[in-house]
Structure formats: C-alpha cells, structure tokens
Amino acid sequence: MERTRFPAVEAARALMLAALLAGCDGRGGGDTLLIRYQNDLAEALGTSEPQPSDPINIGAFPERRERLHDIPETRDGMLNIYALRECRITSLVAERNSQLGRVAQPSQRWIYELELWKRLHACWHSEVPDALSDASRERLEWLTRTKTEQLPLVSWNSLFDSDEWTGSFSRASAPLDPTEADPIGNQLEAIEWLRDATLNQFSQEWRHDSSTLEGHLDNLRRRPLTAEILRALLLAEQRLGEANTLLEASLSDPEICHRLEASGTELQAAFAIGPAIEWLDSLDGMASRWLIAIEELLESHVGPPQAFAEYRNRWLSLDNPDAPLPSFRDAHDEHLRHWQALTQRCP
C-alpha cells in the first residue's frame, strides 16, 4: 500500500530535546526524556500511551555493624612501647591514644595504621632487633605480625566506616541527570586513587598522603553518585520495559502494518537517533565505567562481610542478571530485538 510520512516521527527529536531541556511535568530530565519517547512511540504505533509506573528504589546499604570487619584492639603498656623507641613508634602510639586520636575520622585512622605498619616493618628488618632484649624483640615481632594481618581489615573498615563512601549509596538520591556533561570524572579519579592506595598499602615507597586522601574523599562527599547511577538504570529499565510492552503488543496484532503511517524501517531509523536513545547509550557507558571502577576498588580489598557481599551481588554486580546494569542491558537488547522484528514485519 502507499505510505505517507508520519508527522510525529519528523518532529520526534525536536520534541524530545525540548522536553529534556524544559524538564516538564515535574519529572527529572531522564524520566521526561524516556516518557516522551514512549508517547511518541505509542503515537507512531497507533496505540494508546502507557501509564508509567515508578521503578523500585535501590536497597538499603548494610548497617555499620554488618559491613565492618571485627578487629581486636591491640593493647600494650607504654613502658613496653618505650622499649621499642628505636623503632620511632612511641610518639605515634601516644598520638593515637590521645583524646583527638580516639575520635579521628576513619580515613585518618587508616593513615595512622599505615604509618605504624611502615615503621614496625622497617624496624623489624633493620639492625634494631639485634640490640633488643628477648622480650622486646618478641614484642616487636608480635606487633609487626599483628599489624600486618590487621592492615587490610583496617583499610576496609576505614573506607566502609566513612560518611563519604557510604553516602555514595544513599537511597534518597535522584536518578542521574542526562544534562550533565561528565558527572563521573572527578569521582572516578577518587575511586582509582583509593584502589591504588589500597594495592600499595604494603609498599614503603608509596605516599599515602593525608591531604590527597581527604581531597579525594571530599569529591566523593559532594554527591551520592553510585545511587544516582543505579537509580537511573532502574528508571531506564522500567521505561524500556513499558516501551517493550507497546512494541510486543503491536507485533502480536496482524493488522499492525496497516496502522502505521510509515514503514517499520523508517520508524526504527527515526527513533534510533533521538535524544532518548542517545541518553540510554550514554548511561550504559557511564554506568559501566563507574561500576567497573567500584568492582576494581572492592577487589583490591579483603573479602567483604556477608551483608555487603549480598548487597554487592544484588546492586553492583556486572554479571548478576537481576542487578541494575545487566537488567537494564537486557531490557535495552529486548527493545532492539522488537524494533528489528517490526522492520522485518513491516519493511
């Protein structure tokens, strides 16, 4: 039959871009964009617009006691510590035991433990032990061994006890806004530095500079980026699922090709270049980069407590089909398959 060009298709990009910039209906930019895509799709298919449903929220981050490792406190008398004064740990221990030291931020406790381990390790591998009494030498060996075993646990606890890190997973966040040019740049740099710092925590040469650490943590503090990305994935999956329902219902209609005012190939080409699809592709790339960086950071640490292992598998996994990124990709792939089926049905 003779086909006429579908007017809504020609205006789709302009309408969706305008909706993105205006942020109408009180919705976030991403949701406005995807709902406009749904509505234009429904009009192109000759069917009614879907009624968008709210996506689920991300799960609650594990409670503090559930996400931290249990580390027994290392106790020894100051006279015994003074006997190891050649190891240059006396003032360091006194500082840690001071009132300010006891209320130090988790990041600063990590810096303290790093410096303590470095001094103990260097001392044990020097000529100092030969000049110590048997009791002091055994104490130095015990302290060095204990702090070596505890340092990876301290590293984990310092990260997972910090407001900067736990705040990144806040459920009160909004989905990522598609109008931002590079929302993950500075925070990605922070994640990569934390990973390198963890991998090099047993290096005498690596500089675990306190000001650098605090600067990166400050970048993480500025916004709950992990939650924003996860919620954007959940939202996009929900809207894609609703669009998939439209396409699936249309494909089940034997009269679908007669209802279209453009061929399936023309419609697919028009909708494939709109801002909504560009946003979905951009979201996929950003989410992948961010979640891979988090996975590499987590892999640099010791194994997590069970509660966080479960959270990680459910919300941060790159492979679990129920996690946000794989689930979003499944919905996106299904969407592309429906479009392909439409072009084959109505070429």
Side-chain angles (χ1 to χ4, degrees), residues 27-308:
R27 293 181 177 273
D31 203 14
T32 298
L33 201 61
L34 294 171
I35 288 177
R36 171 58 63 183
Y37 176 86
Q38 287 182 346
N39 293 344
D40 287 343
L41 176 61
E43 186 175 357
L45 296 174
T47 187
S48 58
E49 299 174 353
Q51 295 298 316
S53 299
D54 292 333
I56 63 171
N57 199 352
I58 59 174
F61 205 61
E63 295 292 335
R64 182 177 182 274
R65 61 181 176 79
E66 295 179 324
R67 64 178 184 261
L68 300 184
H69 289 288
D70 182 31
I71 305 175
E73 187 173 356
T74 304
R75 294 180 176 273
D76 208 341
M78 284 306 297
L79 287 177
N80 292 334
I81 296 298
Y82 183 73
L84 302 177
R85 58 190 178 278
E86 294 299 324
C87 295
R88 301 186 301 113
I89 66 171
T90 308
S91 60
L92 194 62
V93 173
E95 180 182 342
R96 175 66 178 87
N97 290 335
S98 68
Q99 184 174 359
L100 288 178
R102 291 183 180 278
V103 296
Q105 293 295 317
S107 57
Q108 293 307 306
R109 292 199 293 272
W110 185 37
I111 293 294
Y112 163 81
E113 292 288 344
L114 283 165
E115 185 60 30
L116 179 59
W117 176 84
K118 285 185 176 183
R119 295 187 189 186
L120 287 170
H121 184 268
C123 188
W124 177 250
H125 291 87
S126 71
E127 298 177 354
V128 171
D130 295 336
L132 296 175
S133 67
D134 290 345
S136 293
R137 187 166 54 253
E138 290 175 2
R139 183 170 293 106
L140 174 58
E141 180 183 17
W142 171 76
L143 277 173
T144 304
R145 184 177 65 253
T146 299
K147 290 303 177 181
T148 300
E149 293 171 351
Q150 289 182 350
L151 187 56
L153 303 178
V154 172
S155 174
W156 173 277
N157 284 5
S158 296
L159 180 63
F160 279 81
D161 199 21
S162 68
D163 294 337
E164 297 87 351
W165 180 242
T166 58
S168 185
F169 303 86
S170 171
R171 303 181 78 220
S173 66
L176 192 66
D177 190 333
T179 61
E180 295 188 68
D182 183 21
I184 71 173
N186 289 338
Q187 293 212 16
L188 191 62
E189 181 181 348
I191 294 295
E192 291 171 346
W193 188 91
L194 288 170
R195 172 183 175 270
D196 290 342
T198 304
L199 290 173
N200 288 282
Q201 61 186 333
F202 286 113
S203 169
Q204 291 285 358
E205 288 75 30
W206 178 270
R207 295 287 298 171
H208 291 82
D209 182 70
S210 177
S211 61
T212 302
L213 171 60
E214 293 302 328
H216 286 304
L217 290 176
D218 185 61
N219 280 333
L220 293 178
R221 182 187 294 112
R222 293 178 183 178
R223 61 187 299 180
L225 187 57
T226 305
E228 290 181 30
I229 289 174
L230 294 178
R231 295 202 65 188
L233 290 170
L234 292 173
L235 174 63
E237 179 198 351
Q238 179 73 24
R239 298 294 172 254
L240 279 170
E242 292 160 353
N244 288 341
T245 299
L246 289 179
L247 283 166
E248 188 174 2
S250 295
L251 288 167
S252 66
D253 182 356
E255 301 298 320
I256 177 59
C257 297
H258 298 288
R259 291 210 319 269
L260 303 181
E261 294 191 20
S263 71
T265 301
E266 290 175 319
L267 290 176
Q268 192 276 336
F271 278 85
I273 60 176
I277 298 302
E278 293 175 3
W279 163 234
L280 294 176
D281 291 340
S282 176
L283 175 60
D284 189 307
M286 285 189 291
S288 179
R289 289 171 60 203
W290 182 252
L291 292 175
I292 287 173
I294 288 184
E295 180 65 18
E296 291 175 346
L297 172 61
L298 296 175
E299 284 296 311
S300 72
H301 283 272
V302 296
Q306 182 62 30
F308 183 77

